[in-house]
């Protein structure tokens, strides 16, 4: 019984990684390039998002989507994405080297 519970716990912790699609993540991230630069490496005043932690970025995106956080374009931009798509984008940028 303990082995079964331990195995289920391990599988649950890996479920997000199994759902990540690098091609889709990169495709969705392209909409960020006009403000945040290629691969999130901004060269302007816009925040540099390459290498940001996926959980941190996902929470920030959700905060914009729900209105907890406000910004110039971000609130409008993220409303066009599902939560799953925001996860894909967050995961993608977390894998881009700073």
């Amino acid at each position: 019984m303990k082995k079964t519970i331990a195995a289920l716990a391990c599988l649950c912790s890996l479920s997000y990684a199994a759902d990540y699609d690098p091609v889709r993540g990169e495709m969705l991230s392209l909409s960020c390039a006009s403000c945040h630069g290629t691969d999130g490496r901004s060269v302007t005043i816009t925040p540099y998002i390459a290498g940001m932690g996926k959980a941190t970025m996902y929470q920030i995106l959700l905060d914009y989507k729900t209105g907890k956080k406000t910004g110039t374009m971000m609130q409008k931009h993220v409303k066009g994405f599902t939560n799953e798509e925001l996860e894909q984008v967050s995961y993608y940028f977390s894998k881009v080297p700073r």
Side-chain angles (χ1 to χ4, degrees):
M1 182 67 167
K2 288 182 183 179
K3 288 182 182 179
T4 304
I5 292 172
L8 286 174
C10 288
L11 287 174
C12 289
S13 68
L14 296 175
S15 66
Y16 183 82
D19 293 337
Y20 175 61
D21 179 351
V23 173
R24 186 161 184 240
E26 184 174 7
M27 181 199 68
L28 291 167
S29 76
L30 294 175
S31 69
C32 308
S34 62
C35 296
H36 292 281
T38 304
D39 287 332
R41 295 184 187 102
S42 177
V43 293
T44 65
I45 194 167
T46 307
Y48 195 96
I49 57 176
M52 182 183 278
K54 68 182 176 214
T56 301
M57 182 174 212
Y58 181 63
Q59 188 58 56
I60 290 169
L61 293 173
L62 286 180
D63 287 349
Y64 277 119
K65 188 173 181 177
T66 61
K68 286 183 184 177
K69 191 171 178 78
T70 58
T72 55
M73 290 298 296
M74 287 301 298
Q75 250 183 320
K76 292 177 183 177
H77 188 71
V78 296
K79 287 190 188 261
F81 289 91
T82 66
N83 289 358
E84 189 271 332
E85 289 171 332
L86 294 177
E87 284 180 323
Q88 295 288 321
V89 169
S90 299
Y91 199 98
Y92 172 78
F93 281 115
S94 75
K95 297 296 184 188
V96 174
R98 282 190 78 69

